Amino acid sequence: MPELPEVEVVRRGLARWVTGRTVAEVQVLHPRAVRRQAAGAGEFAALLTGTTLGSAQRRGKYLWLPLDEGESSMLGHLGMSGQLLVQDPATPDETHLRVRLRFTDGGRELRFVDQRTFGGLAVEQAEAGDPEATPVSLAHIARDPLDPRFDDAAFTVALRARRTTVKRALLDQTLISGVGNIYADEALWRSKLHYDRPTESLTRPLAATLLANAREVMNAALAVGGTSFDSLYVNVNGESGYFSRSLDAYGREGEPCYRCATPIRRAAWMNRSSYYCPRCQRVPRPR
Ligand SMILES: [Zn+2]
């Protein structure tokens, strides 16, 4: 599943290759890819055709392109295996091509390719007066730590006010978005915090350190993924190894902690896994 830095790579690619272009034709090759469009593929195509795409935006793992004056947007979610490709029209169709946008300039097409089709596209109303034309369905999703408008001070206050545990809070999209399971484990390892630490027990400096570490981990992954910025092939897939390198905790069960050499442990956690160092990240004492 793509994590935020990979989605940001796609956003930058879209900003570079499709912003400012006008849609000439929309082809929906599989209805499941536009299932979030209430009235179906016909409505999706009708709402998109003739519009000019604005500057690509992202919130967490959601991407969107404002249409025309920003009263609506084309929202995209990559799901598990979705890709947005900018392709020469002469390039043969991909096996799992689901949606194609042709442009009035006759140049490269935008293709949505998705093998498992958990992702999808939809045209949605944007929040009124919002310069970023945020789709209404994303209004409840918090900004992510790579967003220039993310409010650090408000986040640390809100985090400490929650009656929950720290990893749950990091994965709560209404508090902070874009921190998936991998980055949560990495940020907690760097901060020497156990995943079940109650948020109310975090001091303000500790909360600030945790945020800084989450941001650092994500920026590091972004820097590695950034090599594809200049590529014509705007691409994301769950197989890519952008962050398989240089992980300190995630996926390292039984391997020595880079700080203290204690073997990293894996624990079952909310239908997922949590990787942590049992020495650096002590289990919190019961309240
Ligand atoms: Zn350790």
Side-chain angles (χ1 to χ4, degrees):
M1 188 150 182
E3 295 250 359
L4 182 143
E6 294 184 300
V7 181
E8 173 61 13
V9 170
V10 176
R11 189 199 66 76
R12 293 179 186 184
L14 291 174
R16 171 162 180 183
W17 294 104
V18 305
T19 294
R21 300 174 71 197
T22 300
V23 179
E25 189 194 348
V26 178
Q27 287 180 354
V28 176
L29 301 153
H30 195 304
R32 194 169 144 76
V34 295
R35 67 192 176 283
R36 290 180 182 90
Q37 193 76 48
E43 183 189 62
F44 175 77
L47 290 173
L48 209 47
T49 304
T51 63
T52 298
L53 305 180
S55 179
Q57 307 287 327
R58 178 185 55 71
R59 188 162 296 178
K61 297 182 189 179
Y62 289 92
L63 289 163
W64 69 91
L65 290 155
L67 305 179
D68 292 334
E69 306 304 314
E71 284 171 13
S72 60
S73 287
M74 182 180 79
L75 172 61
H77 194 265
L78 301 170
M80 302 291 282
S81 56
Q83 299 174 297
L84 281 162
L85 309 177
V86 180
Q87 295 281 48
D88 190 297
T91 307
D93 288 1
E94 294 74 13
T95 309
H96 303 289
L97 178 63
R98 305 303 189 205
V99 179
R100 183 203 325 269
L101 268 60
R102 289 200 173 101
F103 295 95
T104 52
D105 56 21
R108 297 175 191 281
E109 307 175 344
L110 181 61
R111 299 181 183 181
F112 179 69
V113 176
D114 194 352
Q115 183 177 357
R116 301 172 70 180
T117 329
F118 291 142
L121 305 175
V123 176
E124 228 187 74
Q125 205 65 32
E127 283 187 82
D130 176 16
E132 296 167 329
T134 307
V136 285
S137 68
L138 301 188
H140 66 288
I141 297 180
R143 292 182 186 276
D144 63 68
L146 302 186
D147 189 322
R149 295 196 205 180
F150 187 89
D151 186 336
D152 288 21
F155 168 76
T156 53
V157 169
L159 175 71
R160 297 173 66 229
R162 295 277 164 123
R163 293 290 174 265
T164 185
T165 49
V166 67
K167 187 169 172 182
R168 280 175 190 257
L170 286 177
L171 298 185
D172 179 349
Q173 302 270 302
T174 65
L175 184 65
I176 183 171
S177 67
V179 184
N181 200 40
I182 296 173
Y183 295 123
D185 281 2
E186 291 298 298
L188 290 167
W189 182 87
R190 287 189 185 208
S191 309
K192 300 185 184 177
L193 285 172
H194 190 274
Y195 54 90
D196 269 343
R197 173 88 176 246
T199 44
E200 66 203 69
S201 76
L202 296 177
T203 60
R204 201 174 306 162
L206 207 44
T209 299
L210 176 62
L211 173 59
N213 283 332
R215 186 176 276 138
E216 220 171 84
V217 167
M218 293 160 95
N219 268 323
L222 189 55
V224 178
T227 52
S228 63
F229 290 167
D230 291 335
S231 159
L232 201 53
Y233 200 68
V234 182
N235 185 4
V236 152
N237 70 63
E239 312 296 320
S240 84
Y242 287 163
F243 41 78
S244 59
R245 105 287 162 251
S246 82
L247 290 179
D248 292 314
Y250 189 86
R252 297 194 62 240
E253 183 181 15
E255 293 173 44
C257 170
Y258 290 130
R259 258 188 318 247
C260 74
T262 304
I264 296 289
R265 275 192 204 156
R266 180 173 69 87
W269 184 85
M270 291 183 70
N271 300 321
R272 308 186 214 200
S273 292
S274 279
Y275 294 88
Y276 68 105
C277 171
R279 185 167 176 196
C280 296
Q281 298 166 268
R282 300 275 186 183
V283 182
R285 275 170 280 147
R287 274 181 273 178

